Amino acid sequence: MNWANDSSSKGFILLGFSDSPWLQMPLLVVLLISYTFTIFGNVSIMVVCILDPKLHTPMYFFLANLSILDLCYTTSIVPHMLANICLNKTTISYSGCVAQLIIFLALGATECLLLAVMSFDRFVAICRPLHYVVIMNCWFCLRMAAFSWLTGFSHSVLQSCLTLNMPRCGHREVDHFFCEVPALLKLSCADTKPIEAELFFCSVLILLIPVTLILISYGFIAQAVLKIRSSEGRRKAFGTCGSHMVVVSLFFGTAIYMYLQPPSSTSKDWGKMVSLFYGIITPMLNPLIYSLRNKDMKGAFKRVIMIGSRKLQINIYRESCLDKNRELGH
């Protein structure tokens, strides 16, 4: 009996913190607050990057991609979690579980590659400033972004197929909040070691290769920055790269913990908390990290707000003039 045949009609039961019902309300509050901030922060970054001409550069093009990705990443799991908590439900359909698994894996893999591309952009900007415009041209940036998205979805389809083809012998209870590879593998009634080895290899490619490239890039960046004589120049360079390194540390640290060890060795409650962190908290923190530590972004926010308020004042003034003209006409 394959996975699809014994699950498509019944779906799955997501246990979450069912053994600790008192955690449901705090979890609901955390989800609502984090999801609200995630939507507001990432949408704000996308809007500012589009509207402000000064941010039409490769760095902010990739940052806008990251915001789109984080918004979709969180949306793939949080609305269903909120609905289950509010309606006191624990079920998810088979098709919903498959969609959640594929989207979550795809966006997570895409983020790994996108963060590596962003580190390369910073490497070229600091270590090869005279060649930056030539290297990071529009066509190259579009190709790198497309490569990240396509590779992420290809990796997701492969991992999802390997995971979903494991027999589970009627087991339906997923000890997690959403459908994720480590939790689904624990349902299997067959030996999972061969499939774990294949998944481990895929995870090494998608996690360790990008993080290695990021570390190499920042090694060269550190050498270049230390050669800058001006303390103001060093501070600006470190400030530009500091935000990216914080995001890299938060995302890769938790993802490596979950995917580069056997599911059987992962504490179930600790694994749930780690998944919540990189799936919900990190996408919320990314806009705060980039906007609070970036002078260009803060300046762009102010300019967009000022332009918006001026347009609003002009529209109000026009409406008042039109009202007066109508009154005089009568």
Side-chain angles (χ1 to χ4, degrees):
M1 184 182 296
N2 64 33
W3 188 299
N5 288 339
D6 66 354
S7 344
S8 56
S9 59
K10 297 179 181 179
F12 298 99
I13 298 171
L14 300 172
L15 298 180
F17 284 139
S18 57
D19 54 345
S20 305
W22 61 273
L23 287 173
Q24 296 285 72
M25 189 53 65
L27 179 61
L28 177 64
V29 174
V30 170
L31 288 175
L32 283 172
I33 293 173
S34 62
Y35 191 50
T36 302
F37 274 101
T38 299
I39 293 174
F40 177 77
N42 286 292
V43 169
S44 298
I45 286 180
M46 287 187 285
V47 170
V48 168
C49 288
I50 292 170
L51 295 181
D52 195 325
K54 292 186 178 180
L55 299 187
H56 293 175
T57 63
M59 175 181 174
Y60 295 103
F61 167 73
F62 293 125
L63 181 57
N65 270 265
L66 183 65
S67 294
I68 295 170
L69 192 151
D70 280 339
L71 187 60
C72 298
Y73 192 54
T74 307
T75 302
S76 67
I77 57 172
V78 172
H80 187 268
M81 290 173 65
L82 289 171
N84 275 4
I85 294 173
C86 293
L87 299 175
N88 200 23
K89 290 172 56 181
T90 58
T91 59
I92 185 171
S93 66
Y94 175 77
S95 57
C97 184
V98 172
Q100 198 175 72
L101 177 66
I102 291 175
I103 294 171
F104 191 77
L105 275 175
L107 296 176
T110 303
E111 182 155 353
C112 294
L113 298 169
L114 195 59
L115 289 172
V117 172
M118 292 173 73
S119 71
F120 177 75
D121 171 69
R122 293 298 85 208
F123 162 76
V124 177
I126 293 173
C127 300
R128 301 288 186 273
L130 298 179
H131 302 93
Y132 181 77
V133 176
V134 176
I135 296 173
M136 300 302 295
N137 59 73
C138 181
W139 179 237
F140 179 77
C141 292
L142 288 172
R143 281 190 296 176
M144 293 303 291
F147 170 79
S148 300
W149 285 90
L150 291 174
T151 305
F153 274 87
S154 301
H155 166 82
S156 172
V157 170
L158 175 61
Q159 281 219 352
S160 298
C161 290
L162 291 173
T163 303
L164 294 171
N165 281 329
M166 292 294 293
R168 65 179 187 88
C169 303
H171 299 150
R172 298 175 55 217
E173 295 184 342
V174 181
D175 195 8
H176 212 315
F177 299 103
F178 55 93
C179 294
E180 194 176 21
V181 171
L184 291 174
L185 282 180
K186 291 180 180 179
L187 298 183
S188 176
C189 57
D191 182 16
T192 60
K193 289 183 180 178
I195 196 74
E196 285 178 11
E198 294 177 22
L199 292 173
F200 179 83
F201 177 73
C202 294
S203 298
V204 166
L205 292 178
I206 212 71
L207 284 170
L208 290 190
I209 291 179
V211 81
T212 301
L213 294 175
I214 290 171
L215 292 176
I216 292 172
S217 297
Y218 277 94
F220 285 112
I221 288 172
Q223 287 182 342
V225 170
L226 292 175
K227 293 178 181 178
I228 299 175
R229 295 181 179 181
S230 166
S231 58
E232 179 65 25
R234 286 197 299 269
R235 186 163 55 251
K236 184 177 180 180
F238 277 124
T240 303
C241 301
S243 302
H244 186 251
M245 282 305 296
V246 172
V247 172
V248 166
S249 301
L250 291 174
F251 182 79
F252 278 99
T254 51
I256 287 172
Y257 174 85
M258 281 298 295
Y259 284 90
L260 292 188
Q261 61 176 322
S264 56
S265 66
T266 307
S267 167
K268 64 176 185 177
D269 288 337
W270 182 242
K272 293 175 192 176
M273 297 305 294
V274 171
S275 296
L276 285 177
F277 189 85
Y278 69 73
I280 298 169
I281 304 301
T282 302
M284 177 192 70
L285 293 177
N286 285 355
L288 295 174
I289 292 169
Y290 278 109
S291 60
L292 292 177
R293 294 178 57 87
N294 191 306
K295 290 182 179 180
D296 292 338
M297 186 61 69
K298 287 188 284 188
F301 274 118
K302 292 178 182 178
R303 286 192 295 272
V304 169
I305 292 171
M306 288 176 63
I307 292 171
S309 62
R310 285 175 185 172
K311 287 184 177 179
L312 181 62
Q313 290 174 0
I314 291 170
N315 288 334
I316 292 172
Y317 177 73
R318 284 177 178 173
E319 288 295 329
S320 63
C321 290
L322 289 172
D323 292 338
K324 288 180 180 180
N325 289 335
R326 291 192 193 103
E327 289 175 2
L328 291 172
H330 288 304

